[in-house]
Amino acid sequence: MGKTLYQKVWDAHKVGILPDGRTQLFIATHFMHEVTSPQAFGMLRDLGLKVIHPERTFATVDHIIPTDDQSEPLADERAEAMLREIRKNCAENGIRMFDMPSGLQGIVHMVGPELGITQPGMTIVCGDSHTATHGAFGSIAMGIGTTQVRDVLATQTLAQTPLKVRNVRVEGKLRPGVTAKDVALHIIGLLGANGGLGYAYEFGGSTIDAMSMDERLTLCNLAIEGAARCGYINPDETTFEYIKGRLFAPTGQAWDEAVARWKSFASDPDAVYDDIVTISAEDIAPTVTWGISPDQNIGIDQTVPSPDDAANADTRKATVEALQYMKLEPGSRIKGLPVQVCFIGSCTNGRISDFRTVAHYIKGRKVAPGIKALAVPGSQMTAKQCEEEGIADIFREAGFEWRLAGCSMCLAMNPDKLVGDQVCASSSNRNFKGRQGSPTGRTLLMSPVMVAAAALTGKVSDAREIFNIH
Ligand code: SF4
């Protein structure tokens, strides 16, 4: 009987079975940022323990970093304290940190892939929910809590129970103007925000096979929004091509050996899954969230649902709550809803291809009067590339504020925040209440090109119409 990639990676990293029945799993790579690591180091110190494999942990700063003025000390004292703390902890423990002066700083889930640290067949963890992003390379990548960060630092292992594997297959050619973000939102809408509980999602099918690595990263990034602890894609030539030549990629003979090993991790053709879901690419439209959970989404031409149409009492309650918070009427159109803020960035859609695509469409055009439009590259490497290719200038000339690398308005643990009940068209991954910094702020998740269309028109718009995409 064939095995899935999940089973193969699991078996390759199994250290043993613990007395409570869980598996002790070796962790190949540990990523770290400034928010969830200080307490872990504190616990380590209290226990008198050392970091066992400092060479397997990589740190950066992203959540709290301002994207306009990064002069130090940072204006926000708490942010400055976190910055000092991670620098100290990394220096004391011999951990490599991609700090702001390095030119390699950025959102942790962008830095790993861009530097070639993220590779197929790895077990990868980070004290951050969106660690699933790294699964795009064919690794088991999971978000962990602070005590688990401590455990990984101390032992380079983690106590885990295996997940079931759901094969989510998307077949066919995407319609023009439909992106990986739309695919991800569509899947979450179909399977539910809790539909992936207890599962790893293996994304496959001809649509996924045809995706670039940037698109695959977007898709896996959102696996956790469907409650799948991790999402992954089998490694193929697209994967290897992306990794080749990056800073941490193997070279020479080691490269050939690595590719052979990486290929061996791909799911067998006769692998057995706990569940299989097949979706037709044709059915996916440019998708926008209308509610306060990523699964509360609709195609751009659809109307906001009514509680009366809810399948059960729980969905009805959730719909009522979301409509109230979002100040939307049942049956109203999402298209045409005025927005005040537009944000392109985050670990979901802050990559070079996102900015290239949007730049192509907005060149020579202007952001609508009164709209605050932010473009925030997810990493310094991406920012540099955007400058070199003239992309940053296209954004600036269009009226976007072109910012420095960081999480920015995805989470608003930095000065980029919504004010009052502003509506934000956002390329990020969470539309929870208050997520973007104002307790009454409203987030509409969509693809970067849809955010760009909203920025140019001042309202939720169909990018296909605005940019003549056919
Ligand atoms: S961009 Fe958003 S989701 Fe990604 S790591 Fe930063 S805060 Fe988390």
Side-chain angles (χ1 to χ4, degrees):
M1 196 168 76
K3 284 183 175 180
T4 63
L5 177 142
Y6 184 85
Q7 290 159 339
K8 292 184 193 183
V9 176
W10 182 277
D11 289 348
H13 292 82
K14 194 154 96 181
V15 177
I17 303 294
L18 297 164
D20 66 1
R22 289 183 296 169
T23 301
Q24 189 183 13
L25 211 57
F26 184 76
I27 301 302
T29 300
H30 177 210
F31 291 112
M32 179 184 279
H33 62 71
E34 74 282 10
V35 179
T36 50
S37 60
Q39 301 95 319
F41 279 107
M43 288 188 267
L44 215 59
R45 274 192 286 273
D46 291 346
L47 292 164
L49 295 170
K50 292 228 168 307
V51 179
I52 190 165
H53 276 298
E55 79 285 4
R56 288 187 178 271
T57 292
F58 300 89
T60 188
V61 278
D62 50 14
H63 287 62
I64 53 100
I65 296 304
T67 61
D68 49 0
D69 180 5
Q70 293 186 345
S71 52
E72 299 184 36
L74 300 178
D76 178 344
E77 282 178 23
R78 280 185 57 210
E80 174 63 21
M82 280 191 228
L83 179 60
R84 276 203 307 268
E85 191 68 13
I86 193 165
R87 282 176 176 162
K88 178 172 79 78
N89 287 328
C90 286
E92 283 179 6
N93 291 282
I95 291 170
R96 185 149 184 183
M97 178 177 170
F98 304 112
D99 203 347
M100 290 189 288
S102 70
L104 303 175
Q105 171 267 339
I107 305 172
V108 66
H109 309 310
M110 283 196 50
V111 167
E114 280 185 344
L115 295 180
I117 301 170
T118 303
Q119 295 174 7
M122 285 179 162
T123 44
I124 298 177
V125 295
C126 175
D128 191 276
S129 319
H130 293 89
T131 308
T133 312
H134 305 262
F137 289 79
S139 55
I140 299 183
M142 300 173 291
I144 55 173
T146 303
T147 50
Q148 291 176 308
V149 173
R150 172 204 63 192
D151 295 348
V152 173
L153 289 171
T155 69
Q156 204 60 38
T157 65
L158 207 55
Q160 289 289 292
T161 308
L163 298 165
K164 292 184 284 185
V165 182
R166 174 177 287 149
N167 189 201
V168 182
R169 304 191 63 79
V170 189
E171 301 286 1
K173 202 168 166 359
L174 291 171
R175 289 188 277 158
V178 178
T179 69
K181 178 65 160 285
D182 302 305
V183 176
L185 289 174
H186 184 85
I187 292 170
I188 299 165
L190 205 66
L191 302 178
N194 289 319
L197 273 178
Y199 280 99
Y201 279 178
E202 177 180 310
F203 298 109
S206 59
T207 314
I208 313 292
D209 292 346
M211 283 184 177
S212 67
M213 283 314 295
D214 278 7
E215 292 172 308
R216 294 178 187 188
L217 284 158
T218 298
L219 185 61
C220 290
N221 175 273
L222 282 150
I224 189 68
E225 301 310 326
R229 185 93 191 283
C230 66
Y232 67 84
I233 294 166
N234 284 308
D236 60 9
E237 292 304 323
T238 305
T239 321
F240 310 143
E241 191 55 39
Y242 179 97
I243 299 171
K244 199 168 192 175
R246 293 186 185 262
L247 193 60
F248 285 78
T251 53
Q253 196 187 331
W255 169 261
D256 296 334
E257 288 166 5
V259 171
R261 193 174 66 254
W262 294 341
K263 283 181 179 169
S264 74
F265 281 111
S267 294
D268 295 324
D270 58 344
V272 176
Y273 297 91
D274 298 287
D275 190 27
I276 299 176
V277 175
T278 305
I279 294 164
S280 169
E282 275 281 306
D283 295 341
I284 306 174
T287 302
V288 181
T289 60
W290 58 268
I292 50 174
S293 168
D295 63 336
Q296 292 175 321
N297 68 58
I298 48 177
I300 182 68
D301 287 322
Q302 291 181 296
T303 53
V304 173
S306 162
D308 296 340
D309 301 332
N312 55 53
D314 285 347
T315 311
R316 182 185 168 83
K317 190 165 165 253
T319 306
V320 169
E321 185 187 355
L323 289 171
Q324 275 173 0
Y325 182 84
M326 296 300 289
K327 300 183 176 153
L328 290 173
E329 290 298 323
S332 60
R333 299 189 76 80
I334 199 77
K335 192 165 141 184
L337 184 75
V339 302
Q340 292 78 48
V341 181
C342 294
F343 168 59
I344 299 179
S346 85
C347 59
T348 311
N349 280 122
R351 280 177 277 277
I352 184 67
S353 59
D354 297 314
F355 294 107
R356 274 191 195 133
T357 304
V358 173
H360 170 76
Y361 289 120
I362 65 169
K363 189 170 184 179
R365 304 180 73 163
K366 290 280 179 210
V367 166
I371 299 295
K372 182 181 177 69
L374 252 84
V376 189
S379 72
Q380 290 181 338
M381 278 176 74
T382 293
K384 185 165 175 270
Q385 224 172 334
C386 286
E387 293 290 356
E388 287 168 359
E389 294 182 21
I391 291 169
D393 281 339
I394 293 173
F395 273 86
R396 289 187 191 105
E397 281 157 21
F400 275 82
E401 295 177 33
W402 183 261
R403 297 294 191 86
L404 301 168
C407 293
S408 183
M409 206 176 259
C410 175
L411 181 63
M413 285 184 82
N414 55 75
D416 302 340
K417 298 181 200 299
L418 294 185
V419 178
D421 65 356
Q422 281 178 326
V423 177
C424 177
S426 179
S427 74
S428 55
N429 49 41
R430 282 191 169 158
N431 53 344
F432 301 164
K433 288 179 179 176
R435 168 81 177 180
Q436 292 189 291
S438 162
T440 51
R442 294 171 285 169
T443 304
L444 307 174
L445 302 178
M446 59 188 82
S447 73
V449 74
M450 288 285 284
V451 176
L456 265 50
T457 58
K459 56 192 179 190
V460 177
S461 300
D462 189 336
R464 297 171 299 187
E465 293 165 4
I466 305 303
F467 299 124
N468 207 14
I469 305 172
H470 297 296

